[in-house]
mmCIF file of all heavy atoms in Angstrom:
data_model
loop_
_atom_site.group_PDB
_atom_site.id
_atom_site.type_symbol
_atom_site.label_atom_id
_atom_site.label_comp_id
_atom_site.label_asym_id
_atom_site.label_seq_id
_atom_site.Cartn_x
_atom_site.Cartn_y
_atom_site.Cartn_z
ATOM 1 N N ILE A 75 10.879 -17.216 -1.467
ATOM 2 C CA ILE A 75 11.113 -18.492 -2.153
ATOM 3 C C ILE A 75 10.829 -19.600 -1.215
ATOM 4 O O ILE A 75 10.135 -20.605 -1.574
ATOM 5 C CB ILE A 75 12.514 -18.601 -2.772
ATOM 6 C CG1 ILE A 75 12.704 -17.661 -3.931
ATOM 7 C CG2 ILE A 75 12.868 -20.071 -3.282
ATOM 8 C CD1 ILE A 75 14.061 -17.447 -4.461
ATOM 9 N N ASN A 76 11.310 -19.561 0.035
ATOM 10 C CA ASN A 76 10.958 -20.599 1.080
ATOM 11 C C ASN A 76 9.519 -20.744 1.319
ATOM 12 O O ASN A 76 8.957 -21.911 1.398
ATOM 13 C CB ASN A 76 11.736 -20.309 2.362
ATOM 14 C CG ASN A 76 13.252 -20.553 2.240
ATOM 15 O OD1 ASN A 76 13.698 -21.287 1.418
ATOM 16 N ND2 ASN A 76 13.946 -19.890 3.088
ATOM 17 N N ILE A 77 8.738 -19.571 1.364
ATOM 18 C CA ILE A 77 7.359 -19.585 1.542
ATOM 19 C C ILE A 77 6.698 -20.183 0.333
ATOM 20 O O ILE A 77 5.770 -21.074 0.450
ATOM 21 C CB ILE A 77 6.833 -18.185 1.774
ATOM 22 C CG1 ILE A 77 7.479 -17.599 3.106
ATOM 23 C CG2 ILE A 77 5.321 -18.144 1.868
ATOM 24 C CD1 ILE A 77 7.254 -16.089 3.213
ATOM 25 N N ALA A 78 7.071 -19.895 -0.859
ATOM 26 C CA ALA A 78 6.456 -20.402 -2.161
ATOM 27 C C ALA A 78 6.709 -21.898 -2.185
ATOM 28 O O ALA A 78 5.835 -22.614 -2.535
ATOM 29 C CB ALA A 78 7.011 -19.638 -3.303
ATOM 30 N N ASP A 79 7.902 -22.361 -1.826
ATOM 31 C CA ASP A 79 8.208 -23.758 -1.847
ATOM 32 C C ASP A 79 7.344 -24.573 -0.900
ATOM 33 O O ASP A 79 6.714 -25.580 -1.289
ATOM 34 C CB ASP A 79 9.669 -24.022 -1.431
ATOM 35 C CG ASP A 79 10.653 -23.811 -2.553
ATOM 36 O OD1 ASP A 79 10.320 -23.725 -3.684
ATOM 37 O OD2 ASP A 79 11.854 -23.575 -2.270
ATOM 38 N N LYS A 80 7.085 -23.954 0.302
ATOM 39 C CA LYS A 80 6.215 -24.689 1.270
ATOM 40 C C LYS A 80 4.774 -24.637 0.865
ATOM 41 O O LYS A 80 4.041 -25.606 0.943
ATOM 42 C CB LYS A 80 6.408 -24.016 2.690
ATOM 43 C CG LYS A 80 5.497 -24.615 3.721
ATOM 44 C CD LYS A 80 6.071 -25.911 4.212
ATOM 45 C CE LYS A 80 5.378 -26.369 5.446
ATOM 46 N NZ LYS A 80 5.713 -27.601 5.962
ATOM 47 N N ALA A 81 4.380 -23.539 0.220
ATOM 48 C CA ALA A 81 2.988 -23.413 -0.288
ATOM 49 C C ALA A 81 2.800 -24.434 -1.516
ATOM 50 O O ALA A 81 1.775 -25.060 -1.546
ATOM 51 C CB ALA A 81 2.735 -21.985 -0.789
ATOM 52 N N TYR A 82 3.839 -24.578 -2.300
ATOM 53 C CA TYR A 82 3.854 -25.624 -3.361
ATOM 54 C C TYR A 82 3.610 -27.065 -2.862
ATOM 55 O O TYR A 82 2.759 -27.750 -3.267
ATOM 56 C CB TYR A 82 5.077 -25.528 -4.183
ATOM 57 C CG TYR A 82 5.185 -26.446 -5.302
ATOM 58 C CD1 TYR A 82 4.442 -26.327 -6.489
ATOM 59 C CD2 TYR A 82 5.990 -27.628 -5.222
ATOM 60 C CE1 TYR A 82 4.498 -27.274 -7.518
ATOM 61 C CE2 TYR A 82 6.069 -28.562 -6.198
ATOM 62 C CZ TYR A 82 5.317 -28.405 -7.321
ATOM 63 O OH TYR A 82 5.335 -29.298 -8.344
ATOM 64 N N GLU A 83 4.380 -27.345 -1.805
ATOM 65 C CA GLU A 83 4.291 -28.660 -1.100
ATOM 66 C C GLU A 83 2.936 -28.828 -0.573
ATOM 67 O O GLU A 83 2.313 -29.961 -0.706
ATOM 68 C CB GLU A 83 5.344 -28.766 0.041
ATOM 69 C CG GLU A 83 6.766 -28.917 -0.416
ATOM 70 C CD GLU A 83 7.672 -28.794 0.687
ATOM 71 O OE1 GLU A 83 7.334 -28.998 1.930
ATOM 72 O OE2 GLU A 83 8.963 -28.461 0.434
ATOM 73 N N ASN A 84 2.301 -27.793 0.014
ATOM 74 C CA ASN A 84 0.979 -27.918 0.547
ATOM 75 C C ASN A 84 -0.030 -28.128 -0.606
ATOM 76 O O ASN A 84 -1.002 -28.914 -0.495
ATOM 77 C CB ASN A 84 0.582 -26.673 1.348
ATOM 78 C CG ASN A 84 1.319 -26.494 2.654
ATOM 79 O OD1 ASN A 84 1.951 -27.475 3.099
ATOM 80 N ND2 ASN A 84 1.156 -25.338 3.264
ATOM 81 N N SER A 85 0.122 -27.468 -1.753
ATOM 82 C CA SER A 85 -0.723 -27.692 -2.855
ATOM 83 C C SER A 85 -0.718 -29.138 -3.369
ATOM 84 O O SER A 85 -1.680 -29.770 -3.611
ATOM 85 C CB SER A 85 -0.362 -26.786 -4.016
ATOM 86 O OG SER A 85 -0.533 -25.418 -3.685
ATOM 87 N N LEU A 86 0.502 -29.708 -3.372
ATOM 88 C CA LEU A 86 0.697 -31.095 -3.866
ATOM 89 C C LEU A 86 -0.110 -31.978 -2.887
ATOM 90 O O LEU A 86 -0.671 -33.000 -3.299
ATOM 91 C CB LEU A 86 2.153 -31.459 -3.886
ATOM 92 C CG LEU A 86 2.994 -30.940 -4.972
ATOM 93 C CD1 LEU A 86 4.462 -31.275 -4.877
ATOM 94 C CD2 LEU A 86 2.478 -31.380 -6.367
ATOM 95 N N ASP A 87 -0.096 -31.705 -1.533
ATOM 96 C CA ASP A 87 -0.776 -32.487 -0.628
ATOM 97 C C ASP A 87 -2.333 -32.402 -0.638
ATOM 98 O O ASP A 87 -3.001 -33.271 -0.190
ATOM 99 C CB ASP A 87 -0.359 -32.046 0.843
ATOM 100 C CG ASP A 87 1.039 -32.460 1.242
ATOM 101 O OD1 ASP A 87 1.631 -33.346 0.566
ATOM 102 O OD2 ASP A 87 1.545 -31.911 2.154
ATOM 103 N N LEU A 88 -2.779 -31.364 -1.335
ATOM 104 C CA LEU A 88 -4.168 -31.095 -1.421
ATOM 105 C C LEU A 88 -4.905 -31.665 -2.722
ATOM 106 O O LEU A 88 -6.099 -31.438 -2.912
ATOM 107 C CB LEU A 88 -4.529 -29.583 -1.247
ATOM 108 C CG LEU A 88 -4.197 -29.076 0.120
ATOM 109 C CD1 LEU A 88 -4.236 -27.507 0.068
ATOM 110 C CD2 LEU A 88 -5.019 -29.668 1.189
ATOM 111 N N ILE A 89 -4.133 -32.214 -3.543
ATOM 112 C CA ILE A 89 -4.687 -32.735 -4.859
ATOM 113 C C ILE A 89 -4.447 -34.242 -4.909
ATOM 114 O O ILE A 89 -3.502 -34.738 -4.224
ATOM 115 C CB ILE A 89 -4.138 -32.101 -6.150
ATOM 116 C CG1 ILE A 89 -2.670 -32.300 -6.229
ATOM 117 C CG2 ILE A 89 -4.465 -30.613 -6.143
ATOM 118 C CD1 ILE A 89 -2.168 -32.113 -7.577
ATOM 119 N N LYS A 90 -5.275 -34.898 -5.677
ATOM 120 C CA LYS A 90 -5.127 -36.264 -6.003
ATOM 121 C C LYS A 90 -4.194 -36.450 -7.243
ATOM 122 O O LYS A 90 -4.402 -35.752 -8.246
ATOM 123 C CB LYS A 90 -6.398 -37.029 -6.231
ATOM 124 C CG LYS A 90 -7.336 -36.955 -5.088
ATOM 125 C CD LYS A 90 -8.693 -37.518 -5.472
ATOM 126 C CE LYS A 90 -9.699 -37.149 -4.437
ATOM 127 N NZ LYS A 90 -11.048 -37.333 -4.970
ATOM 128 N N PRO A 91 -3.132 -37.316 -7.198
ATOM 129 C CA PRO A 91 -2.314 -37.473 -8.492
ATOM 130 C C PRO A 91 -3.122 -37.693 -9.691
ATOM 131 O O PRO A 91 -2.711 -37.320 -10.782
ATOM 132 C CB PRO A 91 -1.421 -38.590 -8.003
ATOM 133 C CG PRO A 91 -1.385 -38.647 -6.636
ATOM 134 C CD PRO A 91 -2.745 -38.171 -6.180
ATOM 135 N N GLU A 92 -4.140 -38.427 -9.578
ATOM 136 C CA GLU A 92 -4.981 -38.811 -10.837
ATOM 137 C C GLU A 92 -5.764 -37.621 -11.280
ATOM 138 O O GLU A 92 -6.296 -37.686 -12.494
ATOM 139 C CB GLU A 92 -5.890 -39.964 -10.515
ATOM 140 C CG GLU A 92 -6.946 -39.715 -9.432
ATOM 141 C CD GLU A 92 -6.505 -40.107 -8.041
ATOM 142 O OE1 GLU A 92 -5.324 -40.313 -7.767
ATOM 143 O OE2 GLU A 92 -7.428 -40.166 -7.187
ATOM 144 N N ASP A 93 -5.787 -36.501 -10.611
ATOM 145 C CA ASP A 93 -6.533 -35.309 -11.085
ATOM 146 C C ASP A 93 -5.889 -34.599 -12.210
ATOM 147 O O ASP A 93 -6.507 -33.831 -12.924
ATOM 148 C CB ASP A 93 -6.778 -34.356 -9.971
ATOM 149 C CG ASP A 93 -7.776 -34.783 -8.931
ATOM 150 O OD1 ASP A 93 -8.542 -35.774 -9.248
ATOM 151 O OD2 ASP A 93 -7.899 -34.200 -7.817
ATOM 152 N N LYS A 94 -4.567 -34.828 -12.527
ATOM 153 C CA LYS A 94 -3.917 -34.234 -13.637
ATOM 154 C C LYS A 94 -3.931 -32.708 -13.590
ATOM 155 O O LYS A 94 -4.159 -32.084 -14.557
ATOM 156 C CB LYS A 94 -4.418 -34.705 -15.010
ATOM 157 C CG LYS A 94 -4.413 -36.218 -15.059
ATOM 158 C CD LYS A 94 -3.082 -36.755 -15.532
ATOM 159 C CE LYS A 94 -3.209 -38.251 -15.828
ATOM 160 N NZ LYS A 94 -2.195 -39.050 -15.193
ATOM 161 N N ILE A 95 -3.743 -32.180 -12.423
ATOM 162 C CA ILE A 95 -3.834 -30.789 -12.158
ATOM 163 C C ILE A 95 -2.351 -30.246 -11.940
ATOM 164 O O ILE A 95 -1.629 -30.826 -11.168
ATOM 165 C CB ILE A 95 -4.736 -30.423 -11.007
ATOM 166 C CG1 ILE A 95 -6.163 -30.761 -11.317
ATOM 167 C CG2 ILE A 95 -4.613 -28.916 -10.626
ATOM 168 C CD1 ILE A 95 -7.011 -30.577 -10.116
ATOM 169 N N SER A 96 -1.985 -29.163 -12.537
ATOM 170 C CA SER A 96 -0.772 -28.494 -12.267
ATOM 171 C C SER A 96 -1.024 -27.601 -11.029
ATOM 172 O O SER A 96 -1.988 -27.003 -10.861
ATOM 173 C CB SER A 96 -0.259 -27.565 -13.461
ATOM 174 O OG SER A 96 -0.010 -28.351 -14.562
ATOM 175 N N VAL A 97 0.039 -27.554 -10.147
ATOM 176 C CA VAL A 97 -0.127 -26.750 -8.912
ATOM 177 C C VAL A 97 0.885 -25.713 -8.797
ATOM 178 O O VAL A 97 2.000 -25.777 -9.491
ATOM 179 C CB VAL A 97 -0.140 -27.628 -7.655
ATOM 180 C CG1 VAL A 97 -1.235 -28.635 -7.725
ATOM 181 C CG2 VAL A 97 1.081 -28.306 -7.457
ATOM 182 N N PHE A 98 0.661 -24.664 -7.988
ATOM 183 C CA PHE A 98 1.625 -23.690 -7.737
ATOM 184 C C PHE A 98 1.536 -23.338 -6.293
ATOM 185 O O PHE A 98 0.489 -23.638 -5.570
ATOM 186 C CB PHE A 98 1.421 -22.342 -8.513
ATOM 187 C CG PHE A 98 0.201 -21.637 -8.269
ATOM 188 C CD1 PHE A 98 0.170 -20.608 -7.368
ATOM 189 C CD2 PHE A 98 -0.998 -21.848 -8.935
ATOM 190 C CE1 PHE A 98 -0.977 -19.880 -7.035
ATOM 191 C CE2 PHE A 98 -2.102 -21.102 -8.669
ATOM 192 C CZ PHE A 98 -2.137 -20.184 -7.727
ATOM 193 N N GLY A 99 2.647 -22.718 -5.831
ATOM 194 C CA GLY A 99 2.681 -22.202 -4.441
ATOM 195 C C GLY A 99 3.184 -20.754 -4.570
ATOM 196 O O GLY A 99 4.198 -20.500 -5.279
ATOM 197 N N LEU A 100 2.500 -19.833 -3.934
ATOM 198 C CA LEU A 100 2.948 -18.439 -3.942
ATOM 199 C C LEU A 100 3.257 -17.919 -2.545
ATOM 200 O O LEU A 100 2.523 -18.108 -1.631
ATOM 201 C CB LEU A 100 1.861 -17.555 -4.587
ATOM 202 C CG LEU A 100 2.255 -16.103 -4.835
ATOM 203 C CD1 LEU A 100 1.797 -15.549 -6.133
ATOM 204 C CD2 LEU A 100 1.804 -15.201 -3.735
ATOM 205 N N GLY A 101 4.366 -17.228 -2.430
ATOM 206 C CA GLY A 101 4.837 -16.656 -1.225
ATOM 207 C C GLY A 101 5.040 -15.176 -1.364
ATOM 208 O O GLY A 101 5.723 -14.780 -2.272
ATOM 209 N N CYS A 102 4.641 -14.319 -0.385
ATOM 210 C CA CYS A 102 4.794 -12.925 -0.415
ATOM 211 C C CYS A 102 5.233 -12.539 1.003
ATOM 212 O O CYS A 102 4.551 -12.826 2.024
ATOM 213 C CB CYS A 102 3.628 -12.180 -0.889
ATOM 214 S SG CYS A 102 3.722 -10.476 -0.740
#
Side-chain angles (χ1 to χ4, degrees):
I75 291 170
N76 289 337
I77 297 166
D79 283 340
K80 181 72 172 180
Y82 177 76
E83 291 171 18
N84 288 352
S85 293
L86 288 173
D87 290 342
L88 294 171
I89 64 161
K90 299 175 193 161
E92 63 270 15
D93 286 344
K94 307 279 191 229
I95 294 173
S96 296
V97 299
F98 69 89
L100 185 138
C102 176

